[in-house]
Amino acid sequence: MPLVDTAAPFVVRDLALAEAGRHQLRLAENEMPGLMALRDEFGPTQPLKGARIAGSLHMTVQTAVLIETLVALGAQVRWASCNIFSTQDEAAAAVAVGPTGTVDAPAGVPVFAWKGETLEEYWACTERIFDWSAEAAAAGADWTGPNMILDDGGDATLLVHKGREFELAGAVPAAEAGDPEEWRVILGVLSRSLDASPDRWQRTAADIQGVTEETTTGVHRLYELARAGELLFPAINVNDSVTKSKFDNKYGIRHSLPDGINRATDVLMGGKVAFVAGYGDVGKGAAEALRGQGARVIVSEVDPINALQAAMDGYQVAKLESVIDQIDILITGTGNKDVVTVDHLLGLKHLAVVGNVGHFDNEIDMAGLEAVAGAEKIEIKPQVHEWRLPTGRSILVLSEGRLMNLGNATGHPSFVMSNSFTNQVLAQIELYAFRDRYATDVHVLPKHLDEKVARLHLDALGVELTTLSPEQAAYIGVEVDGPYKPEHYRY
Amino acid sequence: MPLVDTAAPFVVRDLALAEAGRHQLRLAENEMPGLMALRDEFGPTQPLKGARIAGSLHMTVQTAVLIETLVALGAQVRWASCNIFSTQDEAAAAVAVGPTGTVDAPAGVPVFAWKGETLEEYWACTERIFDWSAEAAAAGADWTGPNMILDDGGDATLLVHKGREFELAGAVPAAEAGDPEEWRVILGVLSRSLDASPDRWQRTAADIQGVTEETTTGVHRLYELARAGELLFPAINVNDSVTKSKFDNKYGIRHSLPDGINRATDVLMGGKVAFVAGYGDVGKGAAEALRGQGARVIVSEVDPINALQAAMDGYQVAKLESVIDQIDILITGTGNKDVVTVDHLLGLKHLAVVGNVGHFDNEIDMAGLEAVAGAEKIEIKPQVHEWRLPTGRSILVLSEGRLMNLGNATGHPSFVMSNSFTNQVLAQIELYAFRDRYATDVHVLPKHLDEKVARLHLDALGVELTTLSPEQAAYIGVEVDGPYKPEHYRY
Amino acid sequence: MPLVDTAAPFVVRDLALAEAGRHQLRLAENEMPGLMALRDEFGPTQPLKGARIAGSLHMTVQTAVLIETLVALGAQVRWASCNIFSTQDEAAAAVAVGPTGTVDAPAGVPVFAWKGETLEEYWACTERIFDWSAEAAAAGADWTGPNMILDDGGDATLLVHKGREFELAGAVPAAEAGDPEEWRVILGVLSRSLDASPDRWQRTAADIQGVTEETTTGVHRLYELARAGELLFPAINVNDSVTKSKFDNKYGIRHSLPDGINRATDVLMGGKVAFVAGYGDVGKGAAEALRGQGARVIVSEVDPINALQAAMDGYQVAKLESVIDQIDILITGTGNKDVVTVDHLLGLKHLAVVGNVGHFDNEIDMAGLEAVAGAEKIEIKPQVHEWRLPTGRSILVLSEGRLMNLGNATGHPSFVMSNSFTNQVLAQIELYAFRDRYATDVHVLPKHLDEKVARLHLDALGVELTTLSPEQAAYIGVEVDGPYKPEHYRY
Amino acid sequence: MPLVDTAAPFVVRDLALAEAGRHQLRLAENEMPGLMALRDEFGPTQPLKGARIAGSLHMTVQTAVLIETLVALGAQVRWASCNIFSTQDEAAAAVAVGPTGTVDAPAGVPVFAWKGETLEEYWACTERIFDWSAEAAAAGADWTGPNMILDDGGDATLLVHKGREFELAGAVPAAEAGDPEEWRVILGVLSRSLDASPDRWQRTAADIQGVTEETTTGVHRLYELARAGELLFPAINVNDSVTKSKFDNKYGIRHSLPDGINRATDVLMGGKVAFVAGYGDVGKGAAEALRGQGARVIVSEVDPINALQAAMDGYQVAKLESVIDQIDILITGTGNKDVVTVDHLLGLKHLAVVGNVGHFDNEIDMAGLEAVAGAEKIEIKPQVHEWRLPTGRSILVLSEGRLMNLGNATGHPSFVMSNSFTNQVLAQIELYAFRDRYATDVHVLPKHLDEKVARLHLDALGVELTTLSPEQAAYIGVEVDGPYKPEHYRY
């Protein structure tokens, strides 16, 4: 039974859950110094006063701290998760109840998310973050939707763009044979919406001042919209802040990959042969973590520059098929599909561990695996499956090929997310409070804000920053307070 | 409700648990190549035929593979755990049911262990592994006890020695004021035993051919007994095999320390200041693991040689009090007491994580912490407690100061335990099948067996061993097949 | 006595030197697979046929392989060093004699460079690379200068720009009080040139199709010229190719920093406290190398992003003055001035080692040190000086504060330079053979060429590159053969 | 022309050399805190007063500090090198002149050593350290030889034992066909000695109170003598002190191996495949150094325990022949012979670098290489030879297969040698001042002295040692001041 009622206003049914979540929030706050510093800095001036933020991002403990930071800066917020499995129910409950609320009198933020939603429920939840009728009524306002989106993966942005497009077309198209199941669900949601109102999404789109987007995937969609001239409002690409992409990919995976392997399998990594497909930031973090546990790491790459980096960092660089029969642990982090094929899976050592920390579950050909005649799937425990193969060998597949650092561990830790989310809050402030600085295009945060995000995380680590003298700053042609590097600097 | 009935013969009440355990055993077997190789090598000749082994060692999945290996080599076995918390119930159930048994017709080994025993239950279980009357009856034999002990920490050995001592004295002494609770329980067990039989432990002791002991602590007790002339049968010190002490301490902790921190707290280790008290094998593994996750590690040592090693390995070496206010993660691995005092705890950063991977829970002065006026203990989740201190800061204490790699993680992984347990099995064979080689003293395994243990773990890691030519062997004065090193070699 | 006669055509005076150099070239060719691959690929088509390249770049063994690669692709070349100390005389001799020449009949390239030039000699040499009258005479041509520049630091480019500027002004300005000595020398060269010809540099500038520039400093000057509208011909910024900046800075310094410390001092790095000022690519390489030798590394940074990276990589980040009395080895790699002040130097441990791998000798305040009353400078050996300080302590200064990886070691190794120089050759081909693609501005190499440079270095390291399937390439929106990443990707 | 006259009393011919050496001694003293601390501690009490030490050990700068420490503790000393190539002439000169002497009035220690001795010269020098007639005359004493030996490799000890043996036999045996050249030289020396005196070595042996031996090889010889009942005086095995074997082998090689590769070849280690034969302490240090430079390291081992350690440390473990065609850098550190055969050498990559840091030059089959038909040896520079092989490929052999860390670099750095030599001095004190504690056998230093050696090196590294409380010491059964570990502890 879901924790929340998607049809009725949100009701928290479990105070114990909310209290457990509140404990975790308190611990997480200590690990999210960037967000807490923003509360201190901007709490008094309330730069987000008047902002109505529709948020679609994994409803975890860390996101709870983000949400309460947005609120502390003046915003009103409604929230959904961006993934059917990623919600931590105690975090959702804690945010919904709020720090001072009770179950009967919640004083928090409406949250539409629970662990294990169906696709139908997921998109219903997403739609709910655009329904601000209760807030409008309370405010005596004539708007009924948000004026800002905070997005992860672009689902919230998609709904607005597609909803408006179909309204203008006068009809929601029928699903076609071969359309993914999820697209059918989206069409259903928008079809019901169009039945109820012919211009809801047009009005919503017109109100929205901007979107801040968390991920590579969402950013990719935004650039496509912008190139096609279809982007409806300015967007800030949070993903490509240095303090986001170079931090959560690399250091987040370094943390959560071994954590996931441990929780899923308890196998010793030391002495084992681990293969990491992809040596981007994710692969770099994965390889470092595995080496740090004493594994021998082999890397694959398609980009010769990254391949050369891997070699210079001391890793063997090989094609997967060249070393397949030596591998104990196989990790994908490429962002591409079919990186691990069925032939690869059939060639692995007995009980090799297979996991993905890239993006989609198609990095490993799970569909192909399911079609192997004679293969048998045994659940060892949730998110850990032994596949008995017709070769007589088995493999252990984590999280069914989806992100194992989320499915088998707890994703990026708070400190890493503090970097990402401090970027998010600064981006929300930029687009809301300084809207006129941003054309309807996709922007990255200015470098001084990227540096600010880093700066807000130094004290917690005991880092002492050196200050340039004015003479030194002049000598290298920068301001004493930065920004310090040209745009193309690679860190 | 306990899984087993300590009074009656063991009854498995939960087949699902046994089946889940059987899955885990199968996975563990793949990670325990040493034990599986012994089954292949010695299964046909049954060197343990006739051995009646009383085992007292954490009743985990890995121990289950050990037990079934002993059985595969011909032994009869009865088993208890050596720790009230460490039993994995599914492993106990799987062993009890046996690979071919059912709940109604168990075909396994009598196991007297479950997670969360009381001290009374614990010592009752330990006593049960010495009661072989059912087996004797089935065999029509006149013995009623075991002829071998496999011990971890020395509790089984203690019971025999103390039982016999009190029998000879004619009475069990009364507990004195200040005696630990556990000692009172032991006296109770032995007192009831003496009431029932005046010579049970004398007969048992006379039958026992030897004990193989797993740990530093147990070995320490054995050497004390031997020095005092009180040791009743030969003992093999498994702990000081190279493939035990240098492997499970260092590589086991390297694995399970970060695992425990992750499961307990989810805090990012990267960028944090971690302090490791002690740079023995445990400390070396801890420091390497933390550095491998990007932490900055500071080490303390009392032994100048180990301190110099730590410095040469690139670590800062400092007294705890000198850097106490910089520490995010504080780990003890010394084997000594009061390493972390209340003053230290009060001086830590807010929400610093405190855990012990040494031996006893007195490495951290938990008693002192409990006595701090105004300190408040909040359970965040089982084995994770926030202590709110009168300073206004909190600390996070893992596993109440007991071994956090057991309490918050799953202890040493199977591959590491395979090394330890292969030593155990070889030691059991030595003392049982080659009893006359061993005087009533404490012995270490001969080096060629230590090397054999290593050798049995190489294939699984894809290690290709180089073979000496006869000329090369002669040149360095060894046999082609080893042993290769003098006794004092330090590896 | 200099090896070459700067007034007369180049004369090689020492065949033994040339032969020794030829041995080294042969070894270096094996370590410069990128350049050798270009010879194979482009030798047949001679894309540089007709190119007359004036080169100004450290005249080392690696540069010799570069020069002979340019010749193998059809170019004519004249060469000077870009530093008075950096020439390896045997390399200069080998290039001048040429692979098939003799001292009496040199068949190589005119080289104007020797180790230990005066400033007068240096600029005379630089002027000589623009004097192509002999080549013109031989070709019956009407040009007298080069049509391409290959520059390192921008001195050759400066001479053309300033020469033309003064010609147009009709006079070379007089030096002013306070002008650096080097500027006076340059004015002298140009004044004599103007006396000899009123339009030499105008004609030269008009002939030049482009310049390819190696370093940060030179690139900085080019961007300034471009911004001021004074750039006379297109420029390619080789420095900011990924395979240049991320490779020679990081991996080159990782190699040559410990090498320089060893050759200069033979001190053990293990166990020592090493301080690295700056955590850019140079600092990253330095810190990794020192940690790899067992040193404890402390880093300083002014940029909070780089500071956070250092912390996440496990280094202590502190201000120099906070830890000055703990430091055994102090290394600067910032590109800024006065990073190490006299106060810092006075506060160091006795016989601390001080070296610079940044850019100029003003990273360490050497002028200030020389002015310290009572300080005494003792040459331990060339490029290693003990400074006895009035504190009673001494410090060991390497290379008088100039680049110690050049002065005390041999600079970047061949493999690293092969990456940089393969970029150089590709950039020369671009500007010479595809001149019309490049406006008179500063360009970076297109990413596919950057990737090509990496690709040419993989086989030598045994790297197996994975190939995208067409479906995979389409899925991530790239061509199968790349380029693979967006321009802003940070590697 | 040799620096010293072996026939006449030692004469220093080069004051500049002595002064250069004195500078280096001063720097080395700063890196040898153990020896300097012994001067402070024992200078006042002169425990070596009356000791007449014959020293045979590489005459380097570090040895110079050792010699002057022995003198500072009251000893008289005569010195030879234990290797024909290892003498640093400036160190020899500095010691001979002494800190306060001049060339004409040397005030140092008689040193019989120079770089590049012949075997004849070498053994003549070794004999000279036993000729104390000048000192005896000056003292009006009736002895003519030393009363202590400080040995490295056992040559000095050999001379005494063989000299006495042949005297007792009445004749020196003739060399036989097949005897090594060196043995013939030794027989010559002893034959001339016997001609001159029938009992010189008997008297010398009777006077000698003991020998302290530095190396594995020398220790091996001592144990053989002891086993055979032929040992003439007590010996202390310095080699097996923890602060010797675990420090100079591991940390010394970690320092000097990459140093030697750099000085010899300047090849980039990063990205290369390096093979390390042997994973004892030497191999561990070598592998760590190469990995620290970004190489991919493959290890070979014959001992399964060490092989398993290598795997657990993340290295590939393979037979040399299995990976021979991937190797860029091949290093031996086994202490065995024929580890690298001619077949291996023929199978290496073109221009692979081959070096030995084990013990003798027969780890690599240099004799076999010299016998390869068609192989050509080209000296690139001293101690670096290209061997052109009939395969068309070349290899680069360092130091002709002898210790390349000595031949191509400068051996162990001062700090490492300070550990070894502090052991030596303490061992000399033990055998000289506490002779009656030591039977005529081979001893290791008591653990508290081993710990003392470490202790004396901590301050220089900024190490803060933790002190046990009396309660803690009692708890683990040690004294507060140590020793802290049982004898079998492996560190």
Side-chain angles (χ1 to χ4, degrees), chain D residues 130-153:
Chain D
F130 287 99
D131 177 3
W132 290 66
S133 45
E135 287 85 348
D142 59 355
W143 40 259
T144 58
N147 55 11
M148 294 293 295
I149 297 177
L150 192 159
D151 215 353
D152 178 314

Side-chain angles (χ1 to χ4, degrees), chain C residues 209-346:
Chain C
Q209 296 198 23
V211 58
T212 60
E213 167 58 47
E214 180 78 5
T215 65
T216 313
T217 309
V219 163
H220 187 68
R221 288 186 188 178
L222 288 169
Y223 281 114
E224 285 187 338
L225 284 173
R227 262 195 298 275
E230 296 172 359
L231 186 66
L232 299 175
F233 32 76
I236 289 185
N237 163 1
V238 165
N239 182 67
D240 286 312
S241 290
V242 184
T243 48
K244 205 280 181 179
S245 65
K246 291 284 276 193
F247 280 79
D248 77 357
N249 287 335
K250 183 169 175 189
Y251 302 120
I253 291 296
R254 181 177 70 180
H255 170 98
S256 57
L257 169 68
D259 188 20
I261 292 173
N262 280 338
R263 296 197 205 212
T265 71
D266 289 315
V267 297
L268 180 72
M269 287 172 263
K272 300 295 175 60
V273 176
F275 189 96
V276 175
Y279 200 65
D281 286 321
V282 164
K284 286 178 173 80
E288 184 183 347
L290 289 161
R291 176 183 275 182
Q293 276 289 301
R296 173 157 73 91
V297 180
I298 308 175
V299 166
S300 69
E301 251 300 336
V302 298
D303 184 324
I305 297 178
N306 292 261
L308 192 52
Q309 285 187 306
M312 296 301 281
D313 291 346
Y315 298 108
Q316 181 177 355
V317 184
K319 293 184 192 179
L320 180 50
E321 48 270 33
S322 300
V323 295
I324 192 73
D325 59 355
Q326 305 173 30
I327 298 172
D328 296 297
I329 299 169
L330 171 54
I331 302 298
T332 56
T334 69
N336 209 328
K337 67 173 184 178
D338 295 336
V339 172
V340 177
T341 65
V342 169
D343 278 351
H344 294 144
L345 294 172
L346 292 173

Side-chain angles (χ1 to χ4, degrees), chain B residues 110-457:
Chain B
V111 173
F112 305 91
W114 59 94
K115 189 175 184 68
E117 301 159 356
T118 63
L119 281 175
E120 290 282 356
E121 291 169 334
Y122 173 80
W123 284 98
C125 285
T126 305
E127 194 202 7
R128 295 295 308 276
I129 64 173
F130 288 97
D131 177 3
W132 289 66
S133 45
E135 287 86 347
D142 60 355
W143 41 259
T144 60
N147 55 12
M148 296 291 296
I149 298 177
L150 192 159
D151 214 353
D152 178 313
D155 281 354
T157 302
L158 173 88
L159 209 60
V160 177
H161 279 76
K162 285 294 166 192
R164 178 175 173 280
E165 176 188 334
F166 297 155
E167 285 173 5
L168 292 176
V172 173
E176 296 177 21
D179 276 352
E181 173 61 17
E182 186 157 14
W183 182 237
R184 293 171 188 273
V185 173
I186 295 169
L187 293 179
V189 166
L190 292 177
S191 182
R192 286 187 293 277
S193 171
L194 190 57
D195 291 348
S197 158
D199 65 350
R200 173 199 182 173
W201 294 111
Q202 295 171 73
R203 283 180 289 118
T204 298
D207 277 356
I208 290 177
Q209 297 199 21
V211 59
T212 60
E213 167 58 47
E214 179 79 5
T215 65
T216 312
T217 309
V219 163
H220 187 68
R221 289 186 188 177
L222 288 169
Y223 282 113
E224 285 186 338
L225 284 173
R227 262 194 299 274
E230 296 171 358
L231 186 65
L232 298 174
F233 31 76
I236 288 185
N237 163 0
V238 166
N239 181 66
D240 286 312
S241 290
V242 184
T243 47
K244 204 281 182 180
S245 66
K246 292 285 276 194
F247 280 78
D248 78 356
N249 286 335
K250 184 170 175 188
Y251 302 120
I253 291 296
R254 182 176 71 178
H255 170 97
S256 57
L257 169 68
D259 189 20
I261 293 173
N262 281 337
R263 297 196 204 213
T265 72
D266 289 316
V267 297
L268 180 73
M269 287 173 262
K272 300 295 176 60
V273 176
F275 188 95
V276 175
Y279 199 67
D281 286 321
V282 164
K284 286 180 172 79
E288 184 183 346
L290 290 160
R291 175 182 276 182
Q293 277 289 302
R296 173 157 73 91
V297 180
I298 306 176
V299 167
S300 69
E301 251 299 338
V302 298
D303 184 324
I305 297 178
N306 292 260
L308 192 53
Q309 285 186 306
M312 296 300 281
D313 291 346
Y315 298 108
Q316 182 177 354
V317 183
K319 293 182 191 179
L320 180 50
E321 46 271 34
S322 300
V323 295
I324 192 74
D325 59 355
Q326 305 172 31
I327 298 172
D328 296 297
I329 299 168
L330 171 55
I331 302 297
T332 57
T334 69
N336 209 329
K337 69 173 182 177
D338 294 335
V339 172
V340 177
T341 65
V342 169
D343 278 349
H344 292 144
L345 294 173
L346 292 173
L348 284 166
K349 285 174 75 172
H350 181 53
L351 286 173
V353 175
V354 181
N356 168 38
V357 288
H359 201 64
F360 289 120
D361 62 354
N362 58 358
E363 295 219 9
I364 301 160
D365 183 7
M366 291 304 297
L369 177 60
E370 275 156 30
V372 170
E376 185 190 355
K377 177 182 176 185
I378 298 162
E379 179 160 302
I380 301 297
K381 57 185 175 183
Q383 312 286 351
V384 182
H385 294 91
E386 178 184 355
W387 282 81
R388 297 194 179 172
L389 303 175
T391 56
R393 290 192 297 270
S394 291
I395 56 174
L396 283 179
V397 178
L398 308 187
S399 291
E400 316 211 20
R402 287 187 297 269
L403 291 177
M404 60 74 74
N405 62 320
L406 285 175
N408 301 94
T410 61
H412 294 325
S414 302
F415 197 91
V416 162
M417 293 317 297
S418 181
N419 280 276
S420 300
F421 287 170
T422 304
N423 276 290
Q424 278 284 8
V425 176
L426 291 172
Q428 286 283 324
I429 295 174
E430 285 293 299
L431 284 187
Y432 180 72
F434 308 103
R435 163 70 202 262
D436 50 356
R437 294 181 187 166
Y438 294 89
T440 298
D441 204 340
V442 188
H443 308 267
V444 292
L445 271 188
K447 188 167 286 290
H448 77 275
L449 292 182
D450 208 347
E451 293 178 356
K452 179 185 180 115
V453 172
R455 201 181 293 269
L456 296 179
H457 288 85

Side-chain angles (χ1 to χ4, degrees), chain D residues 63-263:
Chain D
T63 301
V65 181
L66 166 62
I67 292 170
E68 296 192 349
T69 301
L70 295 168
V71 170
L73 269 56
Q76 278 182 291
V77 179
R78 291 174 76 84
W79 211 266
S81 185
C82 64
N83 181 292
I84 59 176
F85 288 119
S86 65
T87 296
Q88 294 169 347
D89 289 337
E90 64 275 28
V95 168
V97 170
T100 61
T102 65
V103 170
D104 293 328
V109 160
V111 173
F112 306 92
W114 59 95
K115 189 176 184 68
E117 300 159 356
T118 64
L119 282 176
E120 289 282 355
E121 290 169 333
Y122 173 79
W123 284 97
C125 285
T126 304
E127 194 201 9
R128 293 295 308 274
I129 64 173
F130 287 99
D131 177 3
W132 290 66
S133 45
E135 287 85 348
D142 59 355
W143 40 259
T144 58
N147 55 11
M148 294 293 295
I149 297 177
L150 192 159
D151 215 353
D152 178 314
D155 283 352
T157 303
L158 174 87
L159 209 61
V160 177
H161 279 75
K162 285 295 165 192
R164 178 174 172 280
E165 177 187 333
F166 297 156
E167 286 174 4
L168 292 176
V172 173
E176 296 176 21
D179 275 351
E181 173 59 19
E182 187 157 13
W183 181 238
R184 293 171 188 274
V185 173
I186 295 169
L187 293 179
V189 167
L190 292 177
S191 183
R192 286 187 294 276
S193 170
L194 191 56
D195 291 346
S197 158
D199 66 351
R200 172 197 183 175
W201 295 108
Q202 295 170 71
R203 283 180 288 119
T204 299
D207 277 355
I208 290 176
Q209 297 199 22
V211 58
T212 60
E213 166 59 46
E214 180 78 5
T215 65
T216 312
T217 309
V219 163
H220 186 69
R221 288 187 189 176
L222 288 168
Y223 281 114
E224 285 187 337
L225 284 173
R227 260 194 300 274
E230 297 171 0
L231 186 65
L232 300 176
F233 32 76
I236 289 186
N237 163 2
V238 166
N239 181 67
D240 286 312
S241 290
V242 185
T243 48
K244 204 280 182 180
S245 65
K246 291 284 276 194
F247 280 79
D248 77 356
N249 286 336
K250 184 171 175 189
Y251 302 120
I253 291 296
R254 183 177 70 179
H255 170 97
S256 57
L257 169 67
D259 190 19
I261 293 174
N262 280 337
R263 296 196 204 213

Side-chain angles (χ1 to χ4, degrees), chain A residues 240 246 251 254 301 303 306 312-313 317 319 322 337 362 464-466 472 475 485 490-491, chain C residues 240 246 251 254 301 303 312-313 317 319 322 337 362 464-466 472 475 485 490-491:
Chain A
D240 287 311
K246 292 285 277 194
Y251 302 120
R254 183 177 69 180
E301 251 300 338
D303 185 324
N306 292 260
M312 296 301 281
D313 291 346
V317 183
K319 294 183 191 179
S322 301
K337 68 173 183 178
N362 58 358
E464 248 184 46
L465 201 62
T466 300
Q472 288 178 314
Y475 186 77
K485 298 290 193 307
R490 296 190 184 92
Y491 297 90
Chain C
D240 286 312
K246 291 284 276 193
Y251 302 120
R254 181 177 70 180
E301 251 300 336
D303 184 324
M312 296 301 281
D313 291 346
V317 184
K319 293 184 192 179
S322 300
K337 67 173 184 178
N362 58 357
E464 245 184 50
L465 201 62
T466 299
Q472 288 179 313
Y475 186 77
K485 299 291 192 306
R490 296 192 185 92
Y491 295 88

